[in-house]
Amino acid sequence: MGKSRRRESIATMNRIDGSFRDPSGRVFGKDGEIYRSVFAPGVMDFEAARGVGLYRRLIDSGLLLPYQEVGEKDFAPEGTVYCLQHPRLPFVSYPWEWSFSMLKDAALLHLDIMEQLVPHGFWLRDASAFNVQYDGKRLCLIDTLSIGQRIPNSPWVAYRQFCAHFLAPLAMAAYGDVRTLGLWRNYIDGYPLDLVVRMLPVWRRYLPGLFLHLTLHARFQNRADRKEDLGKQVTVRTPKVSDPGLIGIIRSLRRVITGIRWKRSSRIWEAYENIRTYQAEDVTAKSEYVEKIVRRLRPGIVWDLGANVGEYSMIAAAGGAFVVSVEGDPACVEHVYQRVFHTEESKHVLPLTMDLANPSPGLGWDSRERLSLKERGPADLLLALALIHHLVFSSGVPLEGIAKWFSSLTKYALVEFVPPTDPMVRKLLQNRGTDHLPYDLNEFLASFNTFFNLEDHVTLNNGRTVYLLARKTDA
């Protein structure tokens, strides 16, 4: 291929900014496919791991995202030695959106991989939570190049990162408040260990495993940082760690992580079927309508916003869609995660925690390293069932703003309008009187007609109406 054709091919390449920090390689997209370049600094580790069959073993175990080597590399970035093609993930999620158990399972996945690598003279060079994603079947490691040859008799190079990305946030969520998982937005390079120790209840800091891997770890790190800040020469004595010793550390971390459990204090939405204003026939009619629309549209990707306990997410998944099930209550998201990932139910639902009035923004370098919710779309179908009255009255978002936002997220939307006379709306308004944003059927239709065409609807016996909306091409 000539230079001009190569430049044209590279110009159509879509660089994925989340991988720019790694000198060993780069992830990029082209024509809807996902590729990984292996640069010169990563060649030795890649060839060594491939040569002893480690990649194949981890892929066959479901621990590592599969890849295949691509012979044609003319579209790859300059400096590419090997080009790998990966299956495209249905949705990329981030730790601040995960349930407690999803973060815990991601931690245990790292430890499972380490136990397989160390006996062969390898380890994980990175222990980043961002290296784990859901591939539609299970959690798996997506960073092929994080696997490297171990430095003989050296401590785990990613030990501090593992503690900052997994042990610290899990401990703070379980023994403090699960909402502290939202601090990931501020600390995308990992939680400061000293901050976490100060925020933990005193007696928790001295639990045997946490004391060793968190409290003492933070203390030693702070001491080294203070000496460095004062300009003192820091003599680092690197302890020798044998393979059995490193396996012992990994198993110690596993015991600590396994022993951290979050006791959910909020169960209000888990009992949603007992407090909602639906009669049984309304629930059935609504469920049947959702199922009908899913069969009609056959969406590949569905976003269920305000999913509660995921009942409509499950209906969409049963119809063949991959569903991103978004809810603001961590207890609800934990409930759905346990139901989907730890039972035999549909494996095509990814439950995430998110305040829809403050959805995930772009973060990291240039706000492009981690993508906003909108940038990870659009969905083929968006479910907004029993949601918009909460956005209007609890979050102060006008109907037109909601309609405009929805149009940026999806091709089709199933939106439920709950009338002002509904008991749930009246409850939200009981302390507001007439001091609220405009909200009635005419306002709803006028707002959504700006961005969507009304294709279908069903009115339930309780007066609520579910509308099927198709985004206007010029919206």
Side-chain angles (χ1 to χ4, degrees):
M1 179 181 289
K3 289 185 178 179
S4 61
R5 288 189 61 193
R6 175 175 172 80
R7 284 195 295 267
E8 180 182 340
S9 183
I10 292 176
T12 64
M13 180 187 71
N14 174 31
R15 188 181 69 180
I16 297 176
D17 291 328
S19 68
F20 77 92
R21 295 178 186 268
D22 187 0
S24 299
R26 178 70 54 83
V27 178
F28 64 97
K30 187 175 188 301
D31 300 330
E33 303 294 339
I34 300 298
Y35 299 92
R36 181 187 305 273
S37 288
V38 182
F39 298 147
V43 167
M44 185 178 297
D45 282 337
F46 175 75
E47 291 179 340
R50 183 188 59 181
V52 297
L54 277 179
Y55 293 135
R56 178 49 51 198
R57 187 177 295 112
L58 293 173
I59 290 169
D60 290 345
S61 301
L63 300 174
L64 179 66
L65 188 70
Y67 74 86
Q68 60 178 358
E69 289 187 40
V70 180
E72 178 62 55
K73 301 186 291 294
D74 289 319
F75 54 79
E78 186 175 352
T80 297
V81 180
Y82 292 103
C83 187
L84 316 180
Q85 183 176 0
H86 294 290
R88 190 177 188 91
L89 296 168
F91 187 84
V92 173
S93 61
Y94 301 126
W96 51 86
E97 301 165 346
W98 294 355
S99 68
F100 175 86
S101 288
M102 186 168 173
L103 182 63
K104 183 173 178 177
D105 285 347
L108 295 174
L109 174 72
H110 274 76
L111 301 179
D112 288 342
I113 292 173
M114 279 291 287
E115 287 222 40
Q116 292 209 28
L117 294 180
V118 171
H120 296 279
F122 289 79
W123 58 10
L124 288 172
R125 298 185 299 111
D126 301 303
S128 168
F130 298 102
N131 288 345
V132 177
Q133 290 293 329
Y134 177 51
D135 69 356
K137 297 178 181 178
R138 60 183 70 86
L139 296 181
C140 64
L141 184 75
I142 64 167
D143 187 4
T144 312
L145 300 183
S146 66
I147 297 170
Q149 297 176 86
R150 187 190 169 203
I151 301 172
N153 297 316
S154 173
W156 184 18
V157 67
Y159 172 65
R160 180 186 180 187
Q161 187 179 36
F162 180 89
C163 293
H165 278 235
F166 296 108
L167 180 59
L170 285 171
M172 194 153 64
Y175 304 136
D177 193 308
V178 73
R179 291 171 294 182
T180 58
L181 289 178
L183 290 175
W184 267 108
R185 285 195 186 189
N186 288 65
Y187 300 112
I188 64 172
D189 290 328
Y191 283 38
L193 301 187
D194 60 329
L195 173 66
V196 173
V197 170
R198 284 198 297 270
M199 293 182 69
L200 285 176
V202 173
W203 71 275
R204 294 287 189 184
R205 304 173 195 172
Y206 295 95
L207 292 174
L210 286 183
F211 181 69
L212 173 63
H213 297 295
L214 196 57
T215 306
L216 276 181
H217 193 166
R219 198 173 294 171
F220 291 144
Q221 187 60 53
N222 281 349
R223 189 177 302 166
D225 289 345
R226 281 197 300 271
K227 288 182 178 179
E228 193 171 294
D229 290 342
L230 293 172
K232 295 182 179 179
Q233 185 175 358
V234 180
T235 302
V236 179
R237 296 182 180 179
T238 303
K240 291 185 177 182
V241 180
S242 64
D243 283 2
L246 182 52
I247 291 294
I249 292 171
I250 297 306
R251 291 177 179 172
S252 172
L253 285 168
R254 181 187 301 280
R255 286 191 296 271
V256 177
I257 296 290
T258 303
I260 297 175
R261 296 183 177 89
W262 170 47
K263 293 182 179 179
R264 292 171 290 168
S265 58
S266 170
R267 293 180 179 269
I268 184 169
W269 289 112
E270 291 186 48
Y272 182 63
E273 64 273 9
N274 298 323
I275 63 171
R276 60 185 170 189
T277 58
Y278 289 100
Q279 298 296 321
E281 59 269 21
D282 291 321
V283 175
T284 301
K286 184 174 171 181
S287 298
E288 289 176 346
Y289 189 67
V290 173
E291 185 178 8
K292 169 189 167 183
I293 296 303
V294 170
R295 285 200 312 267
R296 171 177 159 184
L297 298 179
R298 297 190 178 280
I301 302 290
V302 172
W303 289 5
D304 185 3
L305 304 187
N308 295 325
V309 292
E311 57 188 317
Y312 301 106
S313 297
M314 299 298 177
I315 291 172
F322 178 86
V323 183
V324 181
S325 183
V326 180
E327 169 58 40
D329 187 333
C332 260
V333 178
E334 178 73 14
H335 173 80
V336 178
Y337 182 84
Q338 293 289 348
R339 181 179 174 184
V340 172
F341 281 70
H342 293 165
T343 69
E344 295 304 315
E345 294 219 34
S346 169
K347 297 296 184 183
H348 299 288
V349 176
L350 174 60
L352 300 177
T353 307
M354 197 180 303
D355 176 3
L356 293 172
N358 182 26
S360 292
L363 292 174
W365 177 252
D366 196 25
S367 299
R368 295 289 305 164
E369 195 174 355
R370 310 299 172 197
L371 300 178
S372 69
L373 174 66
K374 183 185 297 187
E375 290 170 318
R376 287 173 276 170
D380 300 313
L381 173 64
L382 182 145
L383 305 182
L385 305 172
L387 170 67
I388 61 170
H389 57 295
H390 290 287
L391 291 176
V392 172
F393 298 125
S394 298
S395 302
V397 183
L399 283 168
E400 185 177 5
I402 297 170
K404 182 178 180 180
W405 186 54
F406 284 1
S407 72
S408 71
L409 301 180
T410 186
K411 300 174 183 177
Y412 290 91
L414 267 183
V415 181
E416 181 175 6
F417 178 76
V418 181
T421 55
D422 187 272
M424 188 60 73
V425 174
R426 292 171 65 183
K427 182 177 180 180
L428 290 172
L429 291 176
Q430 63 184 0
N431 295 322
R432 289 180 177 269
T434 58
D435 183 22
H436 60 78
L437 292 170
Y439 183 86
D440 56 36
L441 182 58
N442 289 333
E443 184 73 21
F444 169 83
L445 292 175
S447 297
F448 276 83
N449 279 336
T450 304
F451 303 97
F452 291 92
N453 293 316
L454 172 61
E455 290 212 345
D456 196 11
H457 72 280
V458 63
T459 300
L460 307 176
N461 290 335
N462 60 8
R464 298 184 175 197
T465 304
V466 182
Y467 291 91
L468 173 62
L469 306 167
R471 185 182 62 202
K472 293 181 177 179
T473 55
D474 57 347

